[in-house]
Structures are given as structure tokens and as C-alpha cells.
Amino acid sequence: MSPHSQPKAIAIGAHPDDIEFHMAGTLLLLKEAGYEIHYLTMASGNLGSTEYSGAKARRVRAREAREAAEVLGAHFHPALTDDLEIFYSLDLLRKLAALLRQVQPEIVLTHSPQDYMEDHTSTCRLAVSAAFARGMPNFRSKPNRPTTDQELAIYHCMPHGLRDPLRRRIIPGAFVNTTRVHSLKLKALAQHQSQQGWLNQSQRMNSYLLAMEDMSLEVGRRSRKFKHAEGWRRHLHLGFCRAESDPLRTALKSNYSINPAYEKLLEKGV
């Protein structure tokens, strides 16, 4: 990346609305800090409805995702597959690698390696491998794109429910203060109108927007510093950037707070 070019960040979620739930506040702050921001959900959301057919749900949710990305001021990228079809496959890896070579992000925001459903964890694995392959000329992307050599850092958001699949609490490595942009994050999530009834029925979320609000407040409470927050864990640097590289911290300054409890866990090797 040229030292004079605009830095870029991409959020890679599994389904339409995952970015708004877990990553959008940080994405908005990066935009304010001068980053060009990008928005991709791996799956179309075609199964997220009891009201529409799969084909209609796919169209409706694509429209809602585009509208949400517009609210965020992010470049929208179409989904690469359908719900429950996000497998760690060569075809999806080639497609995602092509996109990352095209965008050339300095920051990748994606799901936690531990989460309540496989679409989320498979998205995480694909994002990490596609980022790793950005500079491998012998790995052919689809479509084939030139390799890139920019440093990038990967950050994993908090899992849905803030716990792993075995109900253990996940501790963030850092907190991002999203209080000031929370209303805009909420507005972006509200674009996914088709999900209100679906999540009420399928996952007992009595209020779609309230569920995000509660999660945001809980992470803020855990920070002991911010009202609303998103939690992040930074991926190991090997194959991606220098050991000391933490571009999220550099960009967000006082809105980024290292979690000392997580640092203690790292020291203990837990």
C-alpha cells in the first residue's frame, strides 16, 4: 500500500445483520478516522424467514443489507453463498481471497473463532485464511487477482451471547467505545426489518433492536469505562503484520481500551 493512499478496513460477517450487531460501531469510528470501510456478509440470509420463500428472502435481505451499508457509509459487497452453506471450502476461499486482494485492507473485522453457530465460525476461518493467502502468488483466487503485500491485522468480535458454545464467558482483549455512534449503529440494524419477526420466533429475541442494545451495554459495563462498547480480540500477528502492529488502537486512540484482565490471561498462557 502506498504511504499516501487511504487505509481500508473490511467487516466480514456471516449473515446480513451480523455486522450491525457486533462490528458496526467500530467500523463507523474507523470511517471517522479516515478509513475507507467495506461491508461483506458471506451468506445471503435466504433461510432467515418463515414468511418468504428462500428466493424472496434472498432478495429482501440483500436489499436490507445494502441499505444498512449505506447508513454506515460502507462499500457493499454481495454475498458469496447461502445460509448454512458457509463451509471451509476451496471455492469460497478463492472467492474471498480475490476480494481481499482487491480491497487491500489494513484491518479485517470478523467473527470469533468460538461462536454459537457454524456459519459464524466458518466465516472466521475463511477470513483468516483468505487474508493469509493475500500475498501467495501460487494460490489462485477466483477471479484471479494480483497478490498484495500490505500488512493487515485481524480482529475477532465478541460471539453472540458473549459466550462460547460450551457456555463459557469470552473475555475481550480490548474494548471500543461506541457510545457516540450507537444511534447510527442502531439505525443500520433497523434496516433489517425482515428479521424482527424471524428472530422473535426462532431465537426468542423479544426485541431485535433491544437485544443489540443489551449486548452493547453489557460489553460497555465490562469495560468499566464506556457506556456502549464492542469487544475485540486481536489475531496472532504471524503471517499478517509486525508483532507490535495494532492499527485499531492507533486509529481509534482514546476510544480503544486494552483489557488488563485479558493481558493477565495471556501472561498465564490461558
Side-chain angles (χ1 to χ4, degrees):
M1 182 185 296
S2 163
H4 303 294
S5 63
Q6 184 180 19
K8 300 176 179 68
I10 186 168
I12 303 174
H15 313 103
D17 75 12
D18 283 336
I19 289 172
E20 290 76 11
F21 253 98
H22 305 289
M23 314 176 201
T26 300
L27 207 58
L28 284 165
L29 291 172
L30 284 171
K31 187 173 189 298
E32 287 186 0
Y35 276 70
E36 177 182 295
I37 59 173
H38 292 254
Y39 176 115
L40 168 71
T41 58
M42 291 293 293
S44 66
N46 66 309
L47 300 183
S49 177
T50 55
E51 178 183 359
Y52 304 132
S53 67
K56 184 172 182 182
R58 190 182 294 112
R59 293 193 299 271
V60 168
R61 300 203 68 193
R63 173 178 52 78
E64 291 173 344
R66 283 183 181 275
E67 290 169 352
E70 185 175 342
V71 168
L72 297 173
H75 294 266
F76 175 82
H77 299 276
L80 302 182
T81 188
D82 281 332
D83 292 1
L84 297 185
E85 296 181 24
I86 309 176
F87 302 119
Y88 190 83
S89 66
L90 184 57
D91 181 62
L92 283 179
L93 185 57
R94 291 195 192 282
K95 290 177 179 178
L96 188 53
L99 179 60
L100 292 183
R101 288 175 179 181
Q102 174 191 336
V103 174
Q104 299 183 42
E106 178 183 319
I107 292 174
V108 173
L109 307 177
T110 193
H111 285 290
S112 168
Q114 306 89 17
D115 212 326
Y116 83 113
M117 73 171 302
E118 293 298 316
D119 275 2
H120 289 198
T121 54
S122 293
T123 293
C124 170
R125 291 184 64 204
L126 286 163
V128 170
S129 291
F132 194 87
R134 72 195 182 284
M136 294 177 165
N138 291 334
F139 182 77
R140 189 178 69 257
S141 64
K142 184 179 179 181
N144 198 17
R145 298 197 188 281
T147 58
T148 64
D149 62 0
Q150 86 283 2
E151 284 198 347
L152 63 78
I154 300 171
Y155 296 86
H156 300 285
C157 69
M158 293 295 284
H160 202 65
L162 308 179
R163 294 177 181 269
D164 74 6
L166 298 179
R167 297 177 287 117
R168 293 169 298 199
R169 281 182 24 147
I170 296 295
I171 299 175
F175 299 95
V176 169
N177 179 15
T178 58
T179 307
R180 185 165 45 78
V181 295
H182 182 73
S183 60
L184 195 54
K185 177 180 174 178
L186 203 62
K187 182 179 178 182
L189 181 61
Q191 304 309 305
H192 298 278
Q193 296 179 17
S194 67
Q195 292 307 283
Q196 177 65 64
W198 161 253
L199 289 175
N200 283 350
Q201 185 173 26
S202 67
Q203 298 181 34
R204 302 295 187 266
M205 288 189 188
N206 293 327
S207 172
Y208 184 52
L209 300 179
L210 185 59
M212 187 273 277
E213 182 95 3
D214 288 346
M215 191 180 307
S216 176
L217 288 168
E218 173 60 19
V219 178
R221 186 190 66 78
R222 291 190 190 182
S223 78
R224 299 183 179 182
K225 192 171 185 180
F226 308 131
K227 180 179 180 181
H228 287 281
E230 290 173 352
W232 296 96
R233 290 184 292 169
R234 182 159 51 101
H235 199 87
L236 185 67
H237 68 284
L238 296 174
F240 301 106
C241 58
R242 290 161 294 156
E244 68 274 16
S245 182
D246 190 354
L248 205 53
R249 183 181 189 179
T250 301
L252 302 188
K253 299 181 174 63
S254 62
N255 284 317
Y256 185 90
S257 177
I258 297 290
N259 184 4
Y262 187 79
E263 294 298 307
K264 288 180 181 178
L265 290 177
L266 291 180
E267 289 174 8
K268 292 178 181 179
V270 177

PDB file of all heavy atoms in Angstrom, residues 11-48:
ATOM      1  N   ALA A  11     -15.308  -5.332   7.188  1.00  0.00           N
ATOM      2  CA  ALA A  11     -16.028  -6.182   8.136  1.00  0.00           C
ATOM      3  C   ALA A  11     -16.575  -7.369   7.354  1.00  0.00           C
ATOM      4  O   ALA A  11     -17.252  -7.194   6.335  1.00  0.00           O
ATOM      5  CB  ALA A  11     -17.162  -5.413   8.799  1.00  0.00           C
ATOM      6  N   ILE A  12     -16.279  -8.575   7.824  1.00  0.00           N
ATOM      7  CA  ILE A  12     -16.728  -9.799   7.170  1.00  0.00           C
ATOM      8  C   ILE A  12     -17.605 -10.560   8.157  1.00  0.00           C
ATOM      9  O   ILE A  12     -17.119 -11.155   9.123  1.00  0.00           O
ATOM     10  CB  ILE A  12     -15.540 -10.676   6.723  1.00  0.00           C
ATOM     11  CG1 ILE A  12     -14.612  -9.884   5.798  1.00  0.00           C
ATOM     12  CG2 ILE A  12     -16.028 -11.950   6.047  1.00  0.00           C
ATOM     13  CD1 ILE A  12     -13.333 -10.622   5.420  1.00  0.00           C
ATOM     14  N   GLY A  13     -18.910 -10.523   7.925  1.00  0.00           N
ATOM     15  CA  GLY A  13     -19.865 -11.221   8.769  1.00  0.00           C
ATOM     16  C   GLY A  13     -20.420 -12.435   8.057  1.00  0.00           C
ATOM     17  O   GLY A  13     -20.208 -12.630   6.857  1.00  0.00           O
ATOM     18  N   ALA A  14     -21.150 -13.246   8.784  1.00  0.00           N
ATOM     19  CA  ALA A  14     -21.746 -14.440   8.189  1.00  0.00           C
ATOM     20  C   ALA A  14     -23.050 -14.113   7.480  1.00  0.00           C
ATOM     21  O   ALA A  14     -23.256 -14.501   6.327  1.00  0.00           O
ATOM     22  CB  ALA A  14     -21.983 -15.507   9.261  1.00  0.00           C
ATOM     23  N   HIS A  15     -23.953 -13.396   8.151  1.00  0.00           N
ATOM     24  CA  HIS A  15     -25.284 -13.135   7.619  1.00  0.00           C
ATOM     25  C   HIS A  15     -25.599 -11.642   7.653  1.00  0.00           C
ATOM     26  O   HIS A  15     -25.033 -10.905   8.464  1.00  0.00           O
ATOM     27  CB  HIS A  15     -26.348 -13.857   8.459  1.00  0.00           C
ATOM     28  CG  HIS A  15     -26.024 -15.285   8.747  1.00  0.00           C
ATOM     29  ND1 HIS A  15     -25.549 -15.707   9.979  1.00  0.00           N
ATOM     30  CD2 HIS A  15     -26.078 -16.386   7.957  1.00  0.00           C
ATOM     31  CE1 HIS A  15     -25.342 -17.009   9.940  1.00  0.00           C
ATOM     32  NE2 HIS A  15     -25.642 -17.448   8.726  1.00  0.00           N
ATOM     33  N   PRO A  16     -26.521 -11.196   6.806  1.00  0.00           N
ATOM     34  CA  PRO A  16     -26.999  -9.822   6.911  1.00  0.00           C
ATOM     35  C   PRO A  16     -27.497  -9.562   8.336  1.00  0.00           C
ATOM     36  O   PRO A  16     -28.325 -10.320   8.833  1.00  0.00           O
ATOM     37  CB  PRO A  16     -28.155  -9.775   5.902  1.00  0.00           C
ATOM     38  CG  PRO A  16     -27.858 -10.853   4.916  1.00  0.00           C
ATOM     39  CD  PRO A  16     -27.201 -11.947   5.713  1.00  0.00           C
ATOM     40  N   ASP A  17     -26.986  -8.574   8.976  1.00  0.00           N
ATOM     41  CA  ASP A  17     -27.233  -8.059  10.329  1.00  0.00           C
ATOM     42  C   ASP A  17     -26.150  -8.424  11.328  1.00  0.00           C
ATOM     43  O   ASP A  17     -26.046  -7.825  12.385  1.00  0.00           O
ATOM     44  CB  ASP A  17     -28.616  -8.406  10.888  1.00  0.00           C
ATOM     45  CG  ASP A  17     -28.794  -9.861  11.344  1.00  0.00           C
ATOM     46  OD1 ASP A  17     -27.806 -10.610  11.454  1.00  0.00           O
ATOM     47  OD2 ASP A  17     -29.951 -10.250  11.566  1.00  0.00           O
ATOM     48  N   ASP A  18     -25.282  -9.404  11.021  1.00  0.00           N
ATOM     49  CA  ASP A  18     -24.201  -9.755  11.957  1.00  0.00           C
ATOM     50  C   ASP A  18     -23.230  -8.594  12.136  1.00  0.00           C
ATOM     51  O   ASP A  18     -22.743  -8.350  13.248  1.00  0.00           O
ATOM     52  CB  ASP A  18     -23.438 -10.986  11.466  1.00  0.00           C
ATOM     53  CG  ASP A  18     -24.190 -12.280  11.725  1.00  0.00           C
ATOM     54  OD1 ASP A  18     -25.026 -12.309  12.644  1.00  0.00           O
ATOM     55  OD2 ASP A  18     -23.947 -13.266  11.002  1.00  0.00           O
ATOM     56  N   ILE A  19     -22.942  -7.886  11.067  1.00  0.00           N
ATOM     57  CA  ILE A  19     -22.025  -6.748  11.154  1.00  0.00           C
ATOM     58  C   ILE A  19     -22.623  -5.670  12.060  1.00  0.00           C
ATOM     59  O   ILE A  19     -21.942  -5.105  12.920  1.00  0.00           O
ATOM     60  CB  ILE A  19     -21.704  -6.197   9.750  1.00  0.00           C
ATOM     61  CG1 ILE A  19     -20.813  -7.193   8.997  1.00  0.00           C
ATOM     62  CG2 ILE A  19     -21.033  -4.823   9.838  1.00  0.00           C
ATOM     63  CD1 ILE A  19     -20.578  -6.846   7.546  1.00  0.00           C
ATOM     64  N   GLU A  20     -23.924  -5.404  11.885  1.00  0.00           N
ATOM     65  CA  GLU A  20     -24.573  -4.372  12.686  1.00  0.00           C
ATOM     66  C   GLU A  20     -24.604  -4.751  14.168  1.00  0.00           C
ATOM     67  O   GLU A  20     -24.442  -3.903  15.039  1.00  0.00           O
ATOM     68  CB  GLU A  20     -26.002  -4.124  12.189  1.00  0.00           C
ATOM     69  CG  GLU A  20     -26.085  -3.451  10.837  1.00  0.00           C
ATOM     70  CD  GLU A  20     -25.777  -4.395   9.676  1.00  0.00           C
ATOM     71  OE1 GLU A  20     -25.705  -5.627   9.895  1.00  0.00           O
ATOM     72  OE2 GLU A  20     -25.617  -3.909   8.552  1.00  0.00           O
ATOM     73  N   PHE A  21     -24.814  -6.016  14.457  1.00  0.00           N
ATOM     74  CA  PHE A  21     -24.868  -6.469  15.842  1.00  0.00           C
ATOM     75  C   PHE A  21     -23.521  -6.320  16.546  1.00  0.00           C
ATOM     76  O   PHE A  21     -23.455  -5.884  17.692  1.00  0.00           O
ATOM     77  CB  PHE A  21     -25.300  -7.942  15.893  1.00  0.00           C
ATOM     78  CG  PHE A  21     -26.704  -8.152  16.383  1.00  0.00           C
ATOM     79  CD1 PHE A  21     -27.740  -8.330  15.486  1.00  0.00           C
ATOM     80  CD2 PHE A  21     -26.984  -8.165  17.738  1.00  0.00           C
ATOM     81  CE1 PHE A  21     -29.038  -8.520  15.938  1.00  0.00           C
ATOM     82  CE2 PHE A  21     -28.278  -8.356  18.200  1.00  0.00           C
ATOM     83  CZ  PHE A  21     -29.311  -8.535  17.297  1.00  0.00           C
ATOM     84  N   HIS A  22     -22.433  -6.688  15.869  1.00  0.00           N
ATOM     85  CA  HIS A  22     -21.166  -6.893  16.561  1.00  0.00           C
ATOM     86  C   HIS A  22     -20.029  -5.968  16.155  1.00  0.00           C
ATOM     87  O   HIS A  22     -19.056  -5.844  16.895  1.00  0.00           O
ATOM     88  CB  HIS A  22     -20.696  -8.331  16.332  1.00  0.00           C
ATOM     89  CG  HIS A  22     -21.703  -9.363  16.720  1.00  0.00           C
ATOM     90  ND1 HIS A  22     -22.028  -9.620  18.024  1.00  0.00           N
ATOM     91  CD2 HIS A  22     -22.463 -10.198  15.967  1.00  0.00           C
ATOM     92  CE1 HIS A  22     -22.947 -10.581  18.069  1.00  0.00           C
ATOM     93  NE2 HIS A  22     -23.222 -10.942  16.840  1.00  0.00           N
ATOM     94  N   MET A  23     -20.089  -5.356  14.961  1.00  0.00           N
ATOM     95  CA  MET A  23     -18.905  -4.701  14.409  1.00  0.00           C
ATOM     96  C   MET A  23     -19.142  -3.271  13.932  1.00  0.00           C
ATOM     97  O   MET A  23     -18.181  -2.540  13.685  1.00  0.00           O
ATOM     98  CB  MET A  23     -18.372  -5.504  13.212  1.00  0.00           C
ATOM     99  CG  MET A  23     -18.284  -6.991  13.421  1.00  0.00           C
ATOM    100  SD  MET A  23     -17.758  -7.865  11.904  1.00  0.00           S
ATOM    101  CE  MET A  23     -18.369  -9.516  12.251  1.00  0.00           C
ATOM    102  N   ALA A  24     -20.384  -2.862  13.761  1.00  0.00           N
ATOM    103  CA  ALA A  24     -20.682  -1.615  13.049  1.00  0.00           C
ATOM    104  C   ALA A  24     -20.184  -0.374  13.776  1.00  0.00           C
ATOM    105  O   ALA A  24     -19.784   0.605  13.141  1.00  0.00           O
ATOM    106  CB  ALA A  24     -22.190  -1.494  12.784  1.00  0.00           C
ATOM    107  N   GLY A  25     -20.207  -0.382  15.102  1.00  0.00           N
ATOM    108  CA  GLY A  25     -19.719   0.786  15.834  1.00  0.00           C
ATOM    109  C   GLY A  25     -18.250   1.042  15.569  1.00  0.00           C
ATOM    110  O   GLY A  25     -17.831   2.178  15.319  1.00  0.00           O
ATOM    111  N   THR A  26     -17.466  -0.027  15.595  1.00  0.00           N
ATOM    112  CA  THR A  26     -16.034   0.091  15.316  1.00  0.00           C
ATOM    113  C   THR A  26     -15.809   0.525  13.871  1.00  0.00           C
ATOM    114  O   THR A  26     -14.931   1.358  13.584  1.00  0.00           O
ATOM    115  CB  THR A  26     -15.339  -1.247  15.592  1.00  0.00           C
ATOM    116  OG1 THR A  26     -15.543  -1.601  16.977  1.00  0.00           O
ATOM    117  CG2 THR A  26     -13.854  -1.181  15.288  1.00  0.00           C
ATOM    118  N   LEU A  27     -16.598  -0.024  12.960  1.00  0.00           N
ATOM    119  CA  LEU A  27     -16.480   0.340  11.552  1.00  0.00           C
ATOM    120  C   LEU A  27     -16.762   1.832  11.363  1.00  0.00           C
ATOM    121  O   LEU A  27     -16.054   2.529  10.617  1.00  0.00           O
ATOM    122  CB  LEU A  27     -17.452  -0.509  10.730  1.00  0.00           C
ATOM    123  CG  LEU A  27     -17.123  -0.780   9.269  1.00  0.00           C
ATOM    124  CD1 LEU A  27     -15.780  -1.475   9.108  1.00  0.00           C
ATOM    125  CD2 LEU A  27     -18.233  -1.614   8.633  1.00  0.00           C
ATOM    126  N   LEU A  28     -17.771   2.353  12.043  1.00  0.00           N
ATOM    127  CA  LEU A  28     -18.106   3.777  11.942  1.00  0.00           C
ATOM    128  C   LEU A  28     -16.976   4.654  12.476  1.00  0.00           C
ATOM    129  O   LEU A  28     -16.651   5.695  11.889  1.00  0.00           O
ATOM    130  CB  LEU A  28     -19.399   4.067  12.717  1.00  0.00           C
ATOM    131  CG  LEU A  28     -20.697   3.623  12.048  1.00  0.00           C
ATOM    132  CD1 LEU A  28     -21.846   3.622  13.054  1.00  0.00           C
ATOM    133  CD2 LEU A  28     -21.026   4.521  10.855  1.00  0.00           C
ATOM    134  N   LEU A  29     -16.370   4.240  13.578  1.00  0.00           N
ATOM    135  CA  LEU A  29     -15.261   5.019  14.140  1.00  0.00           C
ATOM    136  C   LEU A  29     -14.040   5.002  13.219  1.00  0.00           C
ATOM    137  O   LEU A  29     -13.315   5.995  13.111  1.00  0.00           O
ATOM    138  CB  LEU A  29     -14.896   4.487  15.519  1.00  0.00           C
ATOM    139  CG  LEU A  29     -15.936   4.724  16.616  1.00  0.00           C
ATOM    140  CD1 LEU A  29     -15.544   3.984  17.896  1.00  0.00           C
ATOM    141  CD2 LEU A  29     -16.120   6.207  16.903  1.00  0.00           C
ATOM    142  N   LEU A  30     -13.832   3.865  12.547  1.00  0.00           N
ATOM    143  CA  LEU A  30     -12.730   3.804  11.587  1.00  0.00           C
ATOM    144  C   LEU A  30     -12.980   4.750  10.417  1.00  0.00           C
ATOM    145  O   LEU A  30     -12.054   5.394   9.910  1.00  0.00           O
ATOM    146  CB  LEU A  30     -12.546   2.374  11.087  1.00  0.00           C
ATOM    147  CG  LEU A  30     -11.859   1.424  12.079  1.00  0.00           C
ATOM    148  CD1 LEU A  30     -11.935  -0.014  11.578  1.00  0.00           C
ATOM    149  CD2 LEU A  30     -10.399   1.822  12.290  1.00  0.00           C
ATOM    150  N   LYS A  31     -14.224   4.839   9.987  1.00  0.00           N
ATOM    151  CA  LYS A  31     -14.562   5.776   8.902  1.00  0.00           C
ATOM    152  C   LYS A  31     -14.258   7.208   9.346  1.00  0.00           C
ATOM    153  O   LYS A  31     -13.682   7.994   8.583  1.00  0.00           O
ATOM    154  CB  LYS A  31     -16.034   5.637   8.510  1.00  0.00           C
ATOM    155  CG  LYS A  31     -16.428   6.440   7.276  1.00  0.00           C
ATOM    156  CD  LYS A  31     -17.846   6.104   6.854  1.00  0.00           C
ATOM    157  CE  LYS A  31     -18.161   6.745   5.489  1.00  0.00           C
ATOM    158  NZ  LYS A  31     -18.087   8.213   5.533  1.00  0.00           N
ATOM    159  N   GLU A  32     -14.635   7.543  10.568  1.00  0.00           N
ATOM    160  CA  GLU A  32     -14.341   8.881  11.096  1.00  0.00           C
ATOM    161  C   GLU A  32     -12.837   9.138  11.165  1.00  0.00           C
ATOM    162  O   GLU A  32     -12.387  10.275  11.016  1.00  0.00           O
ATOM    163  CB  GLU A  32     -14.951   9.038  12.489  1.00  0.00           C
ATOM    164  CG  GLU A  32     -16.457   9.176  12.499  1.00  0.00           C
ATOM    165  CD  GLU A  32     -16.987   9.485  13.891  1.00  0.00           C
ATOM    166  OE1 GLU A  32     -16.163   9.585  14.835  1.00  0.00           O
ATOM    167  OE2 GLU A  32     -18.208   9.633  14.037  1.00  0.00           O
ATOM    168  N   ALA A  33     -12.078   8.070  11.371  1.00  0.00           N
ATOM    169  CA  ALA A  33     -10.612   8.196  11.487  1.00  0.00           C
ATOM    170  C   ALA A  33      -9.930   8.238  10.120  1.00  0.00           C
ATOM    171  O   ALA A  33      -8.692   8.276  10.054  1.00  0.00           O
ATOM    172  CB  ALA A  33     -10.058   7.039  12.317  1.00  0.00           C
ATOM    173  N   GLY A  34     -10.720   8.212   9.048  1.00  0.00           N
ATOM    174  CA  GLY A  34     -10.148   8.354   7.713  1.00  0.00           C
ATOM    175  C   GLY A  34     -10.046   7.079   6.909  1.00  0.00           C
ATOM    176  O   GLY A  34      -9.490   7.080   5.807  1.00  0.00           O
ATOM    177  N   TYR A  35     -10.590   5.993   7.417  1.00  0.00           N
ATOM    178  CA  TYR A  35     -10.557   4.723   6.696  1.00  0.00           C
ATOM    179  C   TYR A  35     -11.682   4.640   5.666  1.00  0.00           C
ATOM    180  O   TYR A  35     -12.792   5.140   5.895  1.00  0.00           O
ATOM    181  CB  TYR A  35     -10.703   3.547   7.660  1.00  0.00           C
ATOM    182  CG  TYR A  35      -9.411   3.113   8.313  1.00  0.00           C
ATOM    183  CD1 TYR A  35      -8.788   3.911   9.272  1.00  0.00           C
ATOM    184  CD2 TYR A  35      -8.808   1.909   7.982  1.00  0.00           C
ATOM    185  CE1 TYR A  35      -7.609   3.525   9.873  1.00  0.00           C
ATOM    186  CE2 TYR A  35      -7.616   1.510   8.581  1.00  0.00           C
ATOM    187  CZ  TYR A  35      -7.028   2.323   9.522  1.00  0.00           C
ATOM    188  OH  TYR A  35      -5.852   1.935  10.107  1.00  0.00           O
ATOM    189  N   GLU A  36     -11.377   4.001   4.548  1.00  0.00           N
ATOM    190  CA  GLU A  36     -12.413   3.574   3.610  1.00  0.00           C
ATOM    191  C   GLU A  36     -12.932   2.240   4.135  1.00  0.00           C
ATOM    192  O   GLU A  36     -12.153   1.310   4.350  1.00  0.00           O
ATOM    193  CB  GLU A  36     -11.820   3.404   2.214  1.00  0.00           C
ATOM    194  CG  GLU A  36     -12.797   2.887   1.171  1.00  0.00           C
ATOM    195  CD  GLU A  36     -12.121   2.699  -0.182  1.00  0.00           C
ATOM    196  OE1 GLU A  36     -11.687   3.715  -0.776  1.00  0.00           O
ATOM    197  OE2 GLU A  36     -12.005   1.534  -0.620  1.00  0.00           O
ATOM    198  N   ILE A  37     -14.243   2.137   4.372  1.00  0.00           N
ATOM    199  CA  ILE A  37     -14.768   0.932   5.010  1.00  0.00           C
ATOM    200  C   ILE A  37     -15.584   0.084   4.029  1.00  0.00           C
ATOM    201  O   ILE A  37     -16.253   0.607   3.139  1.00  0.00           O
ATOM    202  CB  ILE A  37     -15.598   1.259   6.270  1.00  0.00           C
ATOM    203  CG1 ILE A  37     -16.789   2.163   5.938  1.00  0.00           C
ATOM    204  CG2 ILE A  37     -14.705   1.898   7.330  1.00  0.00           C
ATOM    205  CD1 ILE A  37     -17.736   2.373   7.122  1.00  0.00           C
ATOM    206  N   HIS A  38     -15.496  -1.227   4.217  1.00  0.00           N
ATOM    207  CA  HIS A  38     -16.143  -2.199   3.331  1.00  0.00           C
ATOM    208  C   HIS A  38     -16.985  -3.173   4.150  1.00  0.00           C
ATOM    209  O   HIS A  38     -16.654  -3.478   5.303  1.00  0.00           O
ATOM    210  CB  HIS A  38     -15.089  -2.962   2.523  1.00  0.00           C
ATOM    211  CG  HIS A  38     -14.376  -2.109   1.523  1.00  0.00           C
ATOM    212  ND1 HIS A  38     -14.619  -2.183   0.165  1.00  0.00           N
ATOM    213  CD2 HIS A  38     -13.440  -1.138   1.689  1.00  0.00           C
ATOM    214  CE1 HIS A  38     -13.851  -1.314  -0.463  1.00  0.00           C
ATOM    215  NE2 HIS A  38     -13.127  -0.660   0.435  1.00  0.00           N
ATOM    216  N   TYR A  39     -18.049  -3.681   3.511  1.00  0.00           N
ATOM    217  CA  TYR A  39     -19.082  -4.479   4.189  1.00  0.00           C
ATOM    218  C   TYR A  39     -19.367  -5.721   3.366  1.00  0.00           C
ATOM    219  O   TYR A  39     -19.766  -5.635   2.206  1.00  0.00           O
ATOM    220  CB  TYR A  39     -20.323  -3.592   4.286  1.00  0.00           C
ATOM    221  CG  TYR A  39     -21.594  -4.165   4.862  1.00  0.00           C
ATOM    222  CD1 TYR A  39     -22.107  -3.668   6.063  1.00  0.00           C
ATOM    223  CD2 TYR A  39     -22.341  -5.131   4.197  1.00  0.00           C
ATOM    224  CE1 TYR A  39     -23.308  -4.135   6.579  1.00  0.00           C
ATOM    225  CE2 TYR A  39     -23.538  -5.606   4.708  1.00  0.00           C
ATOM    226  CZ  TYR A  39     -24.016  -5.107   5.898  1.00  0.00           C
ATOM    227  OH  TYR A  39     -25.211  -5.568   6.403  1.00  0.00           O
ATOM    228  N   LEU A  40     -19.124  -6.896   3.955  1.00  0.00           N
ATOM    229  CA  LEU A  40     -19.415  -8.163   3.273  1.00  0.00           C
ATOM    230  C   LEU A  40     -20.051  -9.136   4.258  1.00  0.00           C
ATOM    231  O   LEU A  40     -19.530  -9.361   5.347  1.00  0.00           O
ATOM    232  CB  LEU A  40     -18.130  -8.796   2.734  1.00  0.00           C
ATOM    233  CG  LEU A  40     -18.274 -10.258   2.255  1.00  0.00           C
ATOM    234  CD1 LEU A  40     -19.074 -10.345   0.959  1.00  0.00           C
ATOM    235  CD2 LEU A  40     -16.920 -10.935   2.109  1.00  0.00           C
ATOM    236  N   THR A  41     -21.173  -9.730   3.852  1.00  0.00           N
ATOM    237  CA  THR A  41     -21.689 -10.891   4.570  1.00  0.00           C
ATOM    238  C   THR A  41     -21.528 -12.088   3.645  1.00  0.00           C
ATOM    239  O   THR A  41     -21.887 -12.035   2.471  1.00  0.00           O
ATOM    240  CB  THR A  41     -23.163 -10.726   4.980  1.00  0.00           C
ATOM    241  OG1 THR A  41     -23.981 -10.505   3.836  1.00  0.00           O
ATOM    242  CG2 THR A  41     -23.315  -9.552   5.934  1.00  0.00           C
ATOM    243  N   MET A  42     -20.976 -13.159   4.185  1.00  0.00           N
ATOM    244  CA  MET A  42     -20.692 -14.338   3.376  1.00  0.00           C
ATOM    245  C   MET A  42     -21.964 -14.960   2.808  1.00  0.00           C
ATOM    246  O   MET A  42     -21.990 -15.421   1.667  1.00  0.00           O
ATOM    247  CB  MET A  42     -19.940 -15.374   4.208  1.00  0.00           C
ATOM    248  CG  MET A  42     -18.531 -14.983   4.586  1.00  0.00           C
ATOM    249  SD  MET A  42     -17.408 -14.886   3.165  1.00  0.00           S
ATOM    250  CE  MET A  42     -17.340 -16.615   2.681  1.00  0.00           C
ATOM    251  N   ALA A  43     -23.029 -15.008   3.611  1.00  0.00           N
ATOM    252  CA  ALA A  43     -24.268 -15.680   3.195  1.00  0.00           C
ATOM    253  C   ALA A  43     -25.368 -14.669   2.907  1.00  0.00           C
ATOM    254  O   ALA A  43     -25.374 -13.552   3.425  1.00  0.00           O
ATOM    255  CB  ALA A  43     -24.726 -16.667   4.261  1.00  0.00           C
ATOM    256  N   SER A  44     -26.316 -15.109   2.109  1.00  0.00           N
ATOM    257  CA  SER A  44     -27.383 -14.240   1.600  1.00  0.00           C
ATOM    258  C   SER A  44     -28.502 -13.983   2.586  1.00  0.00           C
ATOM    259  O   SER A  44     -29.289 -13.048   2.411  1.00  0.00           O
ATOM    260  CB  SER A  44     -27.981 -14.872   0.345  1.00  0.00           C
ATOM    261  OG  SER A  44     -28.650 -16.089   0.681  1.00  0.00           O
ATOM    262  N   GLY A  45     -28.630 -14.833   3.613  1.00  0.00           N
ATOM    263  CA  GLY A  45     -29.767 -14.694   4.525  1.00  0.00           C
ATOM    264  C   GLY A  45     -31.024 -15.372   4.024  1.00  0.00           C
ATOM    265  O   GLY A  45     -32.115 -15.129   4.542  1.00  0.00           O
ATOM    266  N   ASN A  46     -30.899 -16.247   3.031  1.00  0.00           N
ATOM    267  CA  ASN A  46     -32.082 -16.842   2.387  1.00  0.00           C
ATOM    268  C   ASN A  46     -32.912 -17.722   3.314  1.00  0.00           C
ATOM    269  O   ASN A  46     -34.098 -17.943   3.062  1.00  0.00           O
ATOM    270  CB  ASN A  46     -31.656 -17.659   1.164  1.00  0.00           C
ATOM    271  CG  ASN A  46     -30.835 -18.882   1.528  1.00  0.00           C
ATOM    272  OD1 ASN A  46     -29.851 -18.780   2.276  1.00  0.00           O
ATOM    273  ND2 ASN A  46     -31.203 -20.044   1.014  1.00  0.00           N
ATOM    274  N   LEU A  47     -32.318 -18.229   4.400  1.00  0.00           N
ATOM    275  CA  LEU A  47     -33.064 -19.097   5.314  1.00  0.00           C
ATOM    276  C   LEU A  47     -33.658 -18.342   6.494  1.00  0.00           C
ATOM    277  O   LEU A  47     -34.376 -18.936   7.310  1.00  0.00           O
ATOM    278  CB  LEU A  47     -32.149 -20.213   5.845  1.00  0.00           C
ATOM    279  CG  LEU A  47     -31.539 -21.150   4.796  1.00  0.00           C
ATOM    280  CD1 LEU A  47     -30.724 -22.241   5.489  1.00  0.00           C
ATOM    281  CD2 LEU A  47     -32.615 -21.776   3.914  1.00  0.00           C
ATOM    282  N   GLY A  48     -33.398 -17.055   6.576  1.00  0.00           N
ATOM    283  CA  GLY A  48     -33.822 -16.274   7.733  1.00  0.00           C
ATOM    284  C   GLY A  48     -35.219 -15.733   7.628  1.00  0.00           C
ATOM    285  O   GLY A  48     -35.446 -14.541   7.863  1.00  0.00           O
TER     286      GLY A  48
END
